[in-house]
């Protein structure tokens, strides 16, 4: 959860996390068919109606796909950094896109414990993995369109896809490092280090020399 959030927003995030933790634990123990939504609600101390204000199904609760994550403002800040009237790739595109990814992940509030619980649930229910990959692919396609619109690029311009795929790959490595038990660095710092290293690699390739 981002710093500076209102108490009400923090309570909503806390409730969503409690429901997800309960759903993941029960899935790891009994499988998706081994418990009901009502049992999750009893464990989390909320009503069935409240559950469906947060999640559309048990599967969504396990994966953390809550309807409450509104990332419109985060995406607006990203798109505002471009100049669509001057088509091309802006110098700050990769930094801005990386920053948007970090904001999204911070909003969700991932921790090593949450990731471990999700892995345990998917080990019991492998079909959840394909659902997760589908969501990742859909998010990537949507982000390509965000980049294309921000930069004023034509449909099918590979630069939009490459920007998303490149930063996304770096982001996966960053998240892996962030979740390691010995890590003490914020996610933003880890991401900036990898972006700087990527720039050095590309610069060396372009000049044909070593750095």
């Amino acid at each position: 959860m981002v710093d500076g959030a209102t108490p009400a927003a923090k309570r909503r995030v806390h409730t969503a996390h409690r429901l997800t933790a309960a759903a993941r634990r029960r899935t790891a123990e009994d499988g998706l068919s081994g418990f009901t939504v009502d049992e999750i609600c009893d464990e989390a101390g909320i009503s069935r109606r409240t559950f469906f204000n947060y999640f559309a199904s048990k599967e969504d609760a396990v994966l953390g796909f809550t309807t409450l994550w509104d990332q419109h403002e985060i995406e607006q800040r990203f798109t505002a950094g471009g100049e669509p009237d001057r088509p091309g790739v802006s110098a700050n595109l990769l930094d801005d896109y990386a920053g948007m990814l970090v904001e999204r992940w911070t909003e969700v509030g991932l921790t090593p414990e949450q990731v471990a619980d999700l892995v345990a649930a998917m080990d019991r229910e492998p079909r959840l993995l394909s659902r997760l990959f589908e969501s990742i692919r859909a998010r990537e396609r949507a982000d390509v369109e965000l980049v294309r619109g921000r930069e004023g690029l034509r449909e099918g311009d590979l630069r939009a896809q490459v920007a998303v795929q490149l930063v996304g790959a770096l982001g996966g490595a960053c998240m892996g490092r962030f979740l390691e038990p010995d890590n003490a660095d914020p996610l933003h710092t880890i991401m900036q280090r990898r972006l700087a290293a990527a720039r050095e690699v590309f610069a060396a390739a372009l000049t044909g020399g070593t750095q």
Side-chain angles (χ1 to χ4, degrees):
M1 186 67 188
V2 293
D3 293 335
T6 65
K10 290 180 179 179
R11 284 195 298 272
R12 288 194 295 270
V13 171
H14 181 63
T15 298
H17 287 173
R18 286 196 349 254
L19 288 168
T20 291
R24 288 174 179 173
R25 183 183 62 78
R26 291 300 301 269
T27 300
E29 292 175 355
D30 307 315
L32 283 168
S33 62
F35 64 96
T36 66
V37 167
D38 289 333
E39 288 173 326
I40 298 176
C41 294
D42 289 342
E43 184 172 331
I46 66 162
S47 69
R48 179 183 178 89
R49 179 178 179 179
T50 299
F51 175 91
F52 285 107
N53 286 337
Y54 283 79
F55 299 103
S57 64
K58 287 190 294 184
E59 291 85 351
D60 281 359
V62 174
L63 293 170
F65 292 168
T66 176
T67 58
L68 293 181
W69 301 139
D70 182 4
Q71 298 184 339
H72 180 67
E73 288 187 9
I74 294 173
E75 293 175 357
Q76 260 194 335
R77 286 194 294 274
F78 169 71
T79 55
E83 297 183 59
D85 294 335
R86 300 174 59 186
V89 177
S90 56
N92 59 344
L93 171 60
L94 297 185
D95 287 298
D96 288 353
Y97 182 60
M100 183 175 71
L101 292 188
V102 169
E103 279 196 81
R104 283 176 177 168
W105 295 331
T106 302
E107 180 81 7
V108 173
L110 284 177
T111 66
E113 293 76 16
Q114 290 173 336
V115 173
D117 289 345
L118 176 58
V119 170
M122 290 192 297
D123 282 345
R124 181 63 186 259
E125 292 283 357
R127 63 191 171 101
L128 289 171
L129 187 60
S130 63
R131 174 85 187 281
L132 180 62
F133 282 149
E134 287 173 10
S135 174
I136 292 172
R137 287 193 293 268
R139 180 71 274 170
E140 181 179 291
R141 289 193 296 270
D143 282 356
V144 168
E145 291 306 304
L146 276 179
V147 170
R148 194 172 66 81
R150 168 195 151 115
E151 302 297 317
L153 303 176
R154 293 182 178 181
E155 186 174 357
D157 192 314
L158 280 177
R159 289 176 293 179
Q161 295 181 40
V162 169
V164 169
Q165 292 164 352
L166 174 62
V167 178
L170 291 175
C174 291
M175 184 58 71
R177 174 57 185 154
F178 177 69
L179 295 172
E180 290 178 359
D182 66 338
N183 173 60
D185 294 321
L187 188 54
H188 174 75
T189 299
I190 299 172
M191 177 67 89
Q192 288 303 311
R193 286 175 183 160
R194 278 171 169 72
L195 276 175
R199 286 192 173 93
E200 290 184 13
V201 170
F202 282 119
L206 288 171
T207 60
T210 58
Q211 297 279 330

